[in-house]
Amino acid sequence: MKKEQLKKLLLSFLIISVVLFSSSSVFAASVNLGTAGNYAVLSKSGISSVPNSVITGNIGVSPIASTAITGFSLTKDVTNEFSVSNQIIGKAYAADYDSPTSSILTTAINNMETAYTDAAGRAPNYTELYNGDISGQTLTAGVYKWGTGVLINSDVTLNGGPNDVWIFQIAKGITQASDTKIILTGGAQAKNIFWQAAETVSIGTDAHFEGIILGKTNITLETNASINGRLLAQTAVTLIKNTVVAPSVESVKTVEGFNYYFVTGESYASNIKFVGYNSRNKKFYTNITAGTTKTVSAGGVAIFNYGIHIFDGTSKLLGNLGSYATPQTIEAAANSQTVQVKNNIVTLTSPLTTEFREVVTIDSVSVTP
């Protein structure tokens, strides 16, 4: 009798264990981007930027020509196979550039469309969750399917390990509200997150997005929005002073803190923002705003002398842009007491770790009539 009870108890335990394991383990295979994965931004009909944006990774357009890449002030390489821009930490490619660029882009576009079809065709683990409004939710790995659009009106968390995969199948578009963000926890990585959307993807002002966007139509990032991921659109991509970091490029995300000081007593630094770090060439990117308490009369112009200094966690100086002896100079617009400088580039002598300290100095300010 006791043996039979023990057998039943063990059998019950095994059944419960299997049910618990299967319900908590949802596995999805990654989506193969092919050569489309060589681009931070890839589009069939054009990429526009309202300066300045910062893109870490390559951009490309095909089958449309390079005239569809606007706002970047492109400079062609002597090979005529690509262009460069101070907004791109990488290269810009277009279908009308010299061989082999055109054929490489054709393959990338085909791979992008194949990846879209693959993502859209996966068997879902979850359907119509929260009726498409995932605002404030925490989502684990798996395949999610909606016959509607997806709304993100407050922060969304994707929680999982470094090898977990998320695939979001969206029959309409994605709308993310301003000042919201997608947060990754538990080791989740942007390279393993795929958003397949059949209609417009709109990322709001100052919002932050994570993952690979596979768009059937257009993708728009509003002012100062950012993404760790890729923008792969079958129509156009629109950028307005945005930051795009492709997952394959290492970047430092942890900020120890900012320090800044001023000499004149009539100036100040504010809105000091770490934009990105390219570990391949040790370039540090930052935005600053300089302001003055001096009166700027009608038609007057404020001129600031400033410097930017980057230290590691042990206070060792790694690089600077400008110094007290040879400062950088920035001129505000007429009648303005403030000026913003975007995408300051400081080339470092040694690689960054995950900690740094940034010091912005405004050495002097003058106002000309």
Side-chain angles (χ1 to χ4, degrees):
M1 186 66 178
K2 287 183 179 179
K3 287 184 178 179
E4 289 299 319
Q5 288 177 334
L6 182 60
K7 285 182 180 179
K8 289 180 180 179
L9 182 61
L10 289 172
L11 181 60
S12 298
F13 175 76
L14 289 172
I15 292 172
I16 291 170
S17 298
V18 170
V19 171
L20 287 175
F21 178 79
S22 61
S23 65
S24 62
S25 300
V26 176
F27 172 78
S30 184
V31 176
N32 184 3
L33 298 178
T35 59
N38 294 331
Y39 301 86
V41 185
L42 184 62
S43 165
K44 293 177 69 174
S45 61
I47 303 169
S48 64
S49 171
V50 175
N52 278 342
S53 294
V54 179
I55 300 174
T56 303
N58 298 322
I59 71 171
V61 294
S62 180
I64 204 163
S66 56
T67 52
I69 303 177
T70 61
F72 287 93
S73 301
L74 296 177
T75 301
K76 279 190 179 180
D77 182 69
V78 293
T79 64
N80 203 38
E81 295 176 9
F82 62 88
S83 290
V84 295
S85 165
N86 63 8
Q87 297 182 64
I88 305 171
I89 308 169
K91 299 174 182 178
Y93 298 91
D96 59 335
Y97 287 175
D98 286 354
S99 179
T101 300
S102 180
S103 61
I104 290 172
L105 283 169
T106 298
T107 301
I109 292 293
N110 289 338
N111 291 164
M112 174 180 74
E113 293 175 334
T114 298
Y116 178 93
T117 303
D118 177 18
R122 298 293 184 91
N125 304 114
Y126 311 99
T127 57
E128 310 303 335
L129 196 66
Y130 308 116
N131 295 317
D133 186 351
I134 60 174
S135 307
Q137 302 299 329
T138 296
L139 305 179
T140 55
V143 181
Y144 295 76
K145 183 179 182 68
W146 291 278
T148 61
V150 163
L151 296 176
I152 303 173
N153 289 323
S154 58
D155 294 354
V156 171
T157 299
L158 303 182
N159 181 56
N163 298 315
D164 286 341
V165 174
W166 288 256
I167 299 175
F168 300 103
Q169 303 167 337
I170 305 164
K172 294 188 178 180
I174 302 171
T175 303
Q176 182 177 6
S178 299
D179 295 307
T180 63
K181 56 185 176 292
I182 295 175
I183 301 168
L184 306 186
T185 59
Q189 299 190 75
K191 68 178 183 179
N192 296 327
I193 302 164
F194 302 89
W195 303 81
Q196 172 263 314
E199 297 181 7
T200 296
V201 176
S202 178
I203 311 302
T205 300
D206 291 315
H208 179 73
F209 199 88
E210 295 274 350
I212 316 299
I213 299 178
L214 294 162
K216 183 71 172 178
T217 59
N218 60 307
I219 303 171
T220 299
L221 273 64
E222 299 296 340
T223 306
N224 294 325
S226 61
I227 175 174
N228 289 331
R230 304 182 192 278
L231 306 174
L232 309 179
Q234 295 185 38
T235 59
V237 174
T238 302
L239 304 174
I240 308 174
K241 301 179 180 179
N242 304 122
T243 301
V244 180
V245 179
S248 61
V249 179
E250 296 178 7
S251 62
V252 175
K253 299 179 182 178
T254 304
V255 179
E256 182 187 70
F258 295 117
N259 284 335
Y260 51 89
Y261 63 89
F262 49 89
V263 176
T264 67
E266 296 172 321
S267 60
Y268 57 89
S270 63
N271 297 326
I272 302 172
K273 183 179 181 182
F274 166 63
V275 175
Y277 168 67
N278 184 351
S279 62
R280 293 175 300 177
N281 56 19
K282 299 193 290 291
K283 291 187 182 296
F284 182 102
Y285 296 80
T286 186
N287 298 342
I288 68 167
T289 297
T292 180
T293 58
K294 285 188 173 183
T295 300
V296 182
S297 59
V301 174
I303 301 172
F304 300 85
N305 287 338
Y306 72 97
I308 299 174
H309 316 269
I310 309 301
F311 301 85
D312 66 11
T314 65
S315 297
K316 176 186 175 183
L317 179 64
L318 299 180
N320 62 281
L321 179 67
S323 64
Y324 185 78
T326 56
Q328 297 291 109
T329 299
I330 183 68
E331 184 175 299
N335 308 332
S336 176
Q337 290 180 293
T338 62
V339 62
Q340 187 176 49
V341 193
K342 288 208 165 189
N343 302 333
N344 290 277
I345 301 175
V346 184
T347 302
L348 307 183
T349 56
S350 301
L352 274 182
T353 60
T354 56
E355 294 183 354
F356 67 85
R357 186 175 299 277
E358 178 178 14
V359 177
V360 175
T361 67
I362 300 178
D363 298 320
S364 66
V365 59
S366 60
V367 176
T368 60

